[in-house]
Amino acid sequence: MQPASPAGTAAAAAAIAHLAFGAPPAPAAASIDIMVYGAAVHVELEPRAFRDGGDAVREWIRRSASIVAGYYGRFPAKRLTVQVIAEAGDGVHGGKSFANPDAFIRVQVGREVSGAQLLADWVLVHEMTHLALPDTGEAHAWLSEGLATYVEGVARVQAGNRSEADVWAEEIRQMPRGMPQADDRGLDHTHTWGRTYWGGAMFCLLADVEIRERSHNRFGLQDALRAVARASGGLAADWPIERVLRTGDEAVGTTTLEDLYAQMKDRPVTPDLMKLWQQLGIEPEGSSVHLSDSAPLAEVRRAIMRAP
């Protein structure tokens, strides 16, 4: 069974956490600190709410933080509090990220959640990825949500937590939802669910491929995002989108991010995704994909999914 994903269904979208600001709610009954890449992750949960005393949930938090730290070269916040709210049922029900005064993520988890469900979860990696990008304002939610959607899959592949074929198969199924529809006015002005999550992820894919082509695979979007996280300090900072994109471009020696934004921010752009996937060597095969290493951009595809 395929793991849940940020765009599996409209119901799944409702569960995806949106960034939020302001004071988080009162802490849960018990807490423990986890160190990940030098960052202190403070976990608040009620152990009696889970059959194993919360051990699997704590390991899930540690694993998710390690995945995000691996992608960015370090965890994007020096300190983070994760508050776990136990609810009826199983699985992970959703989450929300806060930036002020400190990094804080609240997640809702079913009391009957299984280890397999936690191993396949995408929600917490998605939320933790938000911590690495400065706040660019509501008009640019597509960048925040699109990055988190795109990076979640790549980061989990690099960490060995998800297969490359699974991520590309999901993109082939879901990324067309990010294409412009009637009356679309570009990413900055069209705030539908599809354009926000998968339109933003499409921007990231196009940028990643172009950066790697122009730099002869020396750099990719991952290098640009690492530079933005280092320079800004992440979500607690307020940056205009132009500064974010310029900082990323300077790190990889191109103008790819700024050029793509100029093209896509105010008008509908409909790239030929199927042609791009074919060039990358991604061929639909039933509900999955076949990855061809003889395609023109096969090395670009491999480089995207390869840990630095």
Side-chain angles (χ1 to χ4, degrees):
M1 182 177 180
Q2 298 292 341
S5 69
T9 63
I16 294 177
H18 295 276
L19 305 184
F21 303 90
S31 63
I32 187 172
D33 286 332
I34 298 171
M35 297 301 296
V36 179
Y37 282 63
V41 181
H42 185 67
V43 181
E44 298 176 345
L45 58 77
E46 175 48 66
R48 291 172 297 180
F50 301 96
R51 290 173 293 184
D52 63 353
D55 289 346
V57 171
R58 284 188 285 267
E59 178 56 31
W60 163 62
I61 294 170
R62 186 193 305 275
R63 179 173 58 249
S64 299
S66 295
I67 289 170
V68 173
Y71 184 86
Y72 284 97
R74 62 179 185 177
F75 194 73
K78 293 181 179 179
R79 292 174 300 278
L80 166 67
T81 296
V82 178
Q83 184 184 75
V84 180
I85 306 297
E87 298 181 342
D90 61 4
V92 179
H93 301 171
K96 183 170 291 187
S97 299
F98 297 81
N100 294 315
D102 296 308
F104 181 93
I105 295 174
R106 183 177 63 226
V107 287
Q108 296 83 45
V109 180
R111 293 182 179 87
E112 303 301 317
V113 67
S114 68
Q117 288 173 328
L118 292 171
L119 187 63
D121 172 68
W122 57 267
V123 171
L124 195 51
V125 172
H126 181 104
E127 290 308 314
M128 289 178 172
T129 299
H130 281 313
L131 302 177
L133 185 73
D135 177 22
T136 58
E138 286 298 317
H140 310 116
W142 62 266
L143 180 61
S144 174
E145 298 296 352
L147 274 173
T149 300
Y150 182 76
V151 168
E152 174 262 318
V154 175
R156 288 176 62 197
V157 171
Q158 292 184 357
N161 182 243
R162 193 175 175 190
S163 75
E164 180 181 348
D166 182 50
V167 172
W168 292 121
E170 179 188 37
E171 288 197 5
I172 286 179
R173 289 193 308 271
Q174 306 295 354
M175 196 168 282
R177 298 180 180 221
M179 287 289 197
Q181 303 299 316
D183 301 321
D184 189 280
R185 296 183 296 124
L187 289 172
D188 276 1
H189 311 287
T190 309
H191 305 304
T192 62
W193 171 80
R195 287 292 269 160
T196 298
Y197 288 90
W198 284 107
M202 180 169 62
F203 176 94
C204 294
L205 173 63
L206 296 172
D208 209 350
V209 172
E210 183 172 322
I211 290 169
R212 291 193 175 278
E213 285 193 278
R214 292 175 66 174
S215 70
H216 304 287
N217 251 343
R218 184 182 176 194
F219 298 112
L221 180 63
Q222 186 169 9
D223 300 286
L225 296 179
R226 285 183 170 193
V228 170
R230 285 194 304 268
S232 66
L235 183 57
D238 292 319
W239 276 24
I241 191 171
E242 291 82 5
R243 184 179 179 186
V244 171
L245 303 180
R246 183 174 64 252
T247 299
D249 275 339
E250 289 173 351
V252 298
T254 76
T255 57
T256 296
L257 295 170
E258 293 165 290
D259 292 346
L260 271 177
Y261 179 58
Q263 295 170 27
M264 301 177 77
K265 65 176 181 176
D266 294 323
R267 60 182 182 272
V269 174
T270 306
D272 189 341
L273 289 177
M274 190 54 66
K275 179 180 179 180
L276 176 59
W277 286 319
Q278 289 173 346
Q279 291 175 328
L280 291 168
I282 305 164
E283 304 167 0
E285 191 174 74
S287 61
S288 186
V289 295
H290 170 71
L291 301 178
S292 170
D293 288 338
S294 62
L297 298 180
E299 181 51 36
V300 168
R301 186 199 75 234
R302 291 192 294 266
I304 288 173
M305 295 297 183
R306 186 167 55 236

PDB file of all heavy atoms in Angstrom, residues 51 69 89 121 152 169 234 237 266 269 276:
ATOM      1  N   ARG A  51       0.126   2.544  23.289  1.00  0.00           N
ATOM      2  CA  ARG A  51       0.321   1.208  23.829  1.00  0.00           C
ATOM      3  C   ARG A  51       1.746   0.944  24.279  1.00  0.00           C
ATOM      4  O   ARG A  51       1.981   0.217  25.248  1.00  0.00           O
ATOM      5  CB  ARG A  51      -0.097   0.157  22.785  1.00  0.00           C
ATOM      6  CG  ARG A  51      -1.595   0.087  22.537  1.00  0.00           C
ATOM      7  CD  ARG A  51      -1.927  -0.837  21.387  1.00  0.00           C
ATOM      8  NE  ARG A  51      -1.442  -0.315  20.107  1.00  0.00           N
ATOM      9  CZ  ARG A  51      -1.655  -0.881  18.934  1.00  0.00           C
ATOM     10  NH1 ARG A  51      -2.327  -2.029  18.863  1.00  0.00           N
ATOM     11  NH2 ARG A  51      -1.200  -0.350  17.823  1.00  0.00           N
ATOM     12  N   ALA A  69      17.378  16.951   8.505  1.00  0.00           N
ATOM     13  CA  ALA A  69      18.746  17.410   8.747  1.00  0.00           C
ATOM     14  C   ALA A  69      19.689  16.902   7.671  1.00  0.00           C
ATOM     15  O   ALA A  69      20.604  17.623   7.235  1.00  0.00           O
ATOM     16  CB  ALA A  69      19.219  16.938  10.124  1.00  0.00           C
ATOM     17  N   GLY A  89      -8.351   6.475  16.927  1.00  0.00           N
ATOM     18  CA  GLY A  89      -8.012   5.877  15.651  1.00  0.00           C
ATOM     19  C   GLY A  89      -6.530   5.593  15.513  1.00  0.00           C
ATOM     20  O   GLY A  89      -5.789   5.539  16.494  1.00  0.00           O
ATOM     21  N   ASP A 121       5.110   7.605   7.174  1.00  0.00           N
ATOM     22  CA  ASP A 121       4.495   8.928   7.296  1.00  0.00           C
ATOM     23  C   ASP A 121       5.302  10.003   6.571  1.00  0.00           C
ATOM     24  O   ASP A 121       6.528   9.994   6.584  1.00  0.00           O
ATOM     25  CB  ASP A 121       4.378   9.316   8.773  1.00  0.00           C
ATOM     26  CG  ASP A 121       3.939  10.758   8.931  1.00  0.00           C
ATOM     27  OD1 ASP A 121       2.788  11.064   8.580  1.00  0.00           O
ATOM     28  OD2 ASP A 121       4.778  11.591   9.368  1.00  0.00           O
ATOM     29  N   GLU A 152      10.015  16.720   0.623  1.00  0.00           N
ATOM     30  CA  GLU A 152       9.658  15.533   1.427  1.00  0.00           C
ATOM     31  C   GLU A 152      10.039  14.253   0.711  1.00  0.00           C
ATOM     32  O   GLU A 152      10.669  13.357   1.281  1.00  0.00           O
ATOM     33  CB  GLU A 152       8.160  15.556   1.746  1.00  0.00           C
ATOM     34  CG  GLU A 152       7.656  14.304   2.443  1.00  0.00           C
ATOM     35  CD  GLU A 152       7.004  13.315   1.502  1.00  0.00           C
ATOM     36  OE1 GLU A 152       6.242  13.746   0.609  1.00  0.00           O
ATOM     37  OE2 GLU A 152       7.263  12.096   1.654  1.00  0.00           O
ATOM     38  N   ALA A 169       6.513   8.116  -9.220  1.00  0.00           N
ATOM     39  CA  ALA A 169       5.157   7.678  -9.560  1.00  0.00           C
ATOM     40  C   ALA A 169       4.125   8.624  -8.965  1.00  0.00           C
ATOM     41  O   ALA A 169       3.114   8.953  -9.611  1.00  0.00           O
ATOM     42  CB  ALA A 169       4.917   6.252  -9.058  1.00  0.00           C
ATOM     43  N   GLY A 234      15.933  30.433   8.652  1.00  0.00           N
ATOM     44  CA  GLY A 234      14.690  29.684   8.491  1.00  0.00           C
ATOM     45  C   GLY A 234      13.426  30.481   8.738  1.00  0.00           C
ATOM     46  O   GLY A 234      13.380  31.706   8.579  1.00  0.00           O
ATOM     47  N   ALA A 237      12.560  34.066  10.211  1.00  0.00           N
ATOM     48  CA  ALA A 237      12.934  35.283   9.489  1.00  0.00           C
ATOM     49  C   ALA A 237      11.830  35.679   8.506  1.00  0.00           C
ATOM     50  O   ALA A 237      11.139  34.832   7.952  1.00  0.00           O
ATOM     51  CB  ALA A 237      14.241  35.071   8.733  1.00  0.00           C
ATOM     52  N   ASP A 266       2.967  35.730 -12.514  1.00  0.00           N
ATOM     53  CA  ASP A 266       1.817  36.547 -12.901  1.00  0.00           C
ATOM     54  C   ASP A 266       1.010  35.991 -14.066  1.00  0.00           C
ATOM     55  O   ASP A 266       0.042  36.612 -14.497  1.00  0.00           O
ATOM     56  CB  ASP A 266       2.277  37.962 -13.272  1.00  0.00           C
ATOM     57  CG  ASP A 266       2.835  38.722 -12.090  1.00  0.00           C
ATOM     58  OD1 ASP A 266       2.297  38.555 -10.984  1.00  0.00           O
ATOM     59  OD2 ASP A 266       3.821  39.454 -12.271  1.00  0.00           O
ATOM     60  N   VAL A 269       1.639  29.181 -16.787  1.00  0.00           N
ATOM     61  CA  VAL A 269       2.669  28.516 -17.583  1.00  0.00           C
ATOM     62  C   VAL A 269       2.391  27.027 -17.518  1.00  0.00           C
ATOM     63  O   VAL A 269       2.232  26.461 -16.434  1.00  0.00           O
ATOM     64  CB  VAL A 269       4.087  28.826 -17.056  1.00  0.00           C
ATOM     65  CG1 VAL A 269       5.125  27.997 -17.803  1.00  0.00           C
ATOM     66  CG2 VAL A 269       4.392  30.315 -17.168  1.00  0.00           C
ATOM     67  N   LEU A 276       9.280  16.046 -20.038  1.00  0.00           N
ATOM     68  CA  LEU A 276      10.371  16.170 -19.071  1.00  0.00           C
ATOM     69  C   LEU A 276      10.635  14.841 -18.375  1.00  0.00           C
ATOM     70  O   LEU A 276      11.793  14.419 -18.242  1.00  0.00           O
ATOM     71  CB  LEU A 276      10.031  17.247 -18.043  1.00  0.00           C
ATOM     72  CG  LEU A 276      11.038  17.435 -16.900  1.00  0.00           C
ATOM     73  CD1 LEU A 276      12.420  17.806 -17.445  1.00  0.00           C
ATOM     74  CD2 LEU A 276      10.555  18.485 -15.912  1.00  0.00           C
TER      75      LEU A 276
END
